[in-house]
Amino acid sequence: MSGQTIYADNAASTRLSAAAKAAMLPCFDLVYANPSAPHAMGRAAAAALTDARAQIAAALGCDPAELYFNSGGTEADAQALRTAAILGAQSGKRHIISTAFEHHAVLRTLDLLGQEGFEIELLAVPENGVVTAPQVAAAIRPDTCLVSVMFANNEIGTLQPVAEIGAVCRAAGVLFHTDAAQAAGQTPIDVRTQQIDLLSLSAHKFHGPKGVGALYARKGLCPVPLLAGGGQERGARPGTENLPGIVGMAAALAEATACLNETAAALTERRDWLIAGLSEIPQAVLNGDAERRLPGNVNFSFAGIEGEALLLLLDARGICASAGAACTAGAPEPSHVLLAIGRSPALARGALRLTLSADVTDAEIEAILRAVRETVALLRAAPGRNNQ
Ligand SMILES: *Cc1c(COP(=O)(O)O)cnc(C)c1O
């Protein structure tokens, strides 16, 4: 964007990385054949697909055969939950455990499964936004078929104890799914040591292209297809593969993984600078644990402020931020995530989420701090505002 615009909405989507873009370009004018085609150009496309699969498998610590490419996080979540539910039902297990602050892709799919006769139990989320393994252990029953707990929350950025939850689930013989759309490329993932059975990825959250993602399903777990058609992705996901998208996703994830520690350190420093600066605003409450959160996530509630008004004024000053999830922007209901961690509806409506990438400069952090301070003061001073 122009030099005037500051982009602090990376949890909603990210800029395509130069490496991803460069990797994608040949797919448009050279390697454009159908990967299933039995000729030289088809074989070249199939080889590019194989390379991408190997790159992503290396980043997650899985086998390439355990990856199923699809259209993104929403689809991966739906397929993961349906697969575990159908497998569970086959052995009479219809109890599913998840949490109250999952992404809507998970919550809405669970609503549907609830209507189809599954018993959905959503764990309460502690005030710091970190669900615990003992909470999960206490909820597991003999008829539990699935535990789904997100790796990192998309609004407050809190990191869940995935390895501990994985251990609890593995010991109990219950499948464990984690939505890693926000975590991938930002925090280390290793599906083996973290004992994850099913994991959702979305490329556009880690500087890959939009409309592409993947489901990891542990060997032996065959994802139940959501669509009928050709035999792509071993029958689990019919439809001609989105080769440019998949190649871009692989390049983006490889790059993010290679410089993960470096990027995380730089982002954490700026995140904590923002948190310290915004904490000085009267009646500002940080949402989510101060340390156990994604390196680029800042989420505050300001008492007496409407988040939507704050966003509009920040937008007018060239700052792209969010009140919470991008998909709920404009909706009058307060964030289900903030309500889940015990914020009042009023405080939940006064939320501001700033999510950084390595592109955000020190000068931009200073500009954000100045703009938020001034705008909150302006809104609080405005006559006729709703006193809460
Ligand atoms: C963005 C996101 C999704 C949805 O991914 P899409 O690729 O946009 O469908 C799911 N879960 C979480 C946590 C997300 O942040």
Side-chain angles (χ1 to χ4, degrees):
M1 285 302 290
S2 78
Q4 303 295 315
T5 305
I6 298 174
Y7 187 73
D9 198 15
N10 286 278
S13 201
T14 56
R15 176 178 64 76
L16 187 70
S17 81
K21 193 173 173 181
M24 290 172 78
L25 287 177
C27 299
F28 295 110
D29 44 27
L30 291 171
V31 193
Y32 54 80
N34 191 313
S36 302
H39 47 59
M41 285 180 63
R43 285 192 296 276
L49 192 61
T50 300
D51 288 349
R53 202 184 298 280
Q55 265 183 306
I56 296 173
L60 301 179
C62 70
D63 197 280
E66 295 173 310
L67 289 172
Y68 300 86
F69 296 130
N70 59 29
S71 68
T74 302
E75 185 180 341
D77 284 342
Q79 194 171 23
L81 300 179
R82 290 217 164 261
T83 296
I86 288 168
L87 285 175
Q90 284 169 1
S91 46
K93 297 181 175 183
R94 298 186 148 258
H95 178 238
I96 297 174
I97 299 167
S98 188
T99 77
F101 77 157
E102 296 295 311
H103 190 274
H104 282 130
V106 166
L107 290 177
R108 296 269 153 82
T109 301
L110 292 177
D111 285 345
L112 294 176
L113 289 170
Q115 289 165 21
E116 293 166 31
F118 290 87
E119 187 186 337
I120 312 300
E121 180 173 350
L122 299 182
L123 299 177
V125 183
E127 203 252 342
N128 70 347
V130 182
V131 170
T132 68
Q135 271 186 288
V136 173
I140 290 179
R141 311 190 312 211
D143 63 339
T144 304
C145 60
L146 168 69
V147 168
S148 178
V149 177
M150 65 201 318
F151 210 120
N153 183 270
N154 50 303
E155 292 192 29
I156 57 176
T158 49
L159 292 160
Q160 307 307 306
V162 165
E164 290 168 43
I165 295 171
V168 162
C169 293
R170 192 63 56 88
V174 175
L175 290 177
F176 175 41
H177 165 250
T178 188
D179 177 344
Q182 292 290 331
Q186 295 223 54
T187 194
I189 297 181
D190 186 306
V191 295
R192 295 272 180 274
T193 59
Q194 291 163 341
Q195 304 191 68
I196 298 163
D197 298 305
L198 295 152
L199 175 141
S200 306
L201 278 189
S202 171
H204 75 104
K205 303 293 176 65
F206 51 79
H207 299 279
K210 290 163 187 60
V212 62
L215 172 65
Y216 149 80
R218 188 167 55 82
K219 203 163 286 169
L221 261 180
C222 284
V224 173
L226 303 178
L227 302 170
Q232 290 91 350
E233 298 302 287
R234 284 137 286 142
R237 213 297 191 162
T240 302
E241 300 86 348
N242 173 2
L243 191 63
I246 292 164
V247 164
M249 169 164 65
L253 189 59
E255 186 184 31
T257 305
C259 43
L260 194 141
N261 293 335
E262 216 175 284
T263 311
L267 288 184
T268 301
E269 199 172 309
R270 293 197 173 111
R271 175 197 76 189
D272 291 345
W273 178 11
L274 269 180
I275 290 177
L278 295 177
S279 298
E280 289 170 12
I281 296 176
Q283 296 185 69
V285 188
L286 177 68
N287 293 314
D289 196 276
E291 271 113 46
R292 300 185 65 170
R293 67 194 300 137
L294 289 170
N297 177 291
V298 175
N299 189 315
F300 269 90
S301 283
F302 301 102
I305 297 282
E306 285 293 337
E308 291 298 320
L310 179 56
L311 282 183
L312 276 173
L313 293 173
L314 289 177
D315 186 32
R317 295 178 66 149
I319 295 169
C320 302
S322 165
C327 359
T328 51
E333 311 95 59
S335 144
H336 72 285
V337 171
L338 298 180
L339 295 180
I341 62 166
R343 294 289 178 253
S344 67
L347 263 188
R349 269 193 295 269
L352 173 69
R353 180 185 74 179
L354 298 159
T355 45
L356 310 177
S357 77
D359 293 344
V360 180
T361 65
D362 285 355
E364 289 179 331
I365 298 285
E366 281 169 5
I368 292 172
L369 279 172
R370 199 178 322 118
V372 176
R373 271 191 213 113
E374 291 172 7
T375 308
V376 168
L378 184 80
L379 284 168
R380 283 180 172 160
R385 73 181 174 88
N386 277 338
N387 285 300
Q388 285 158 3

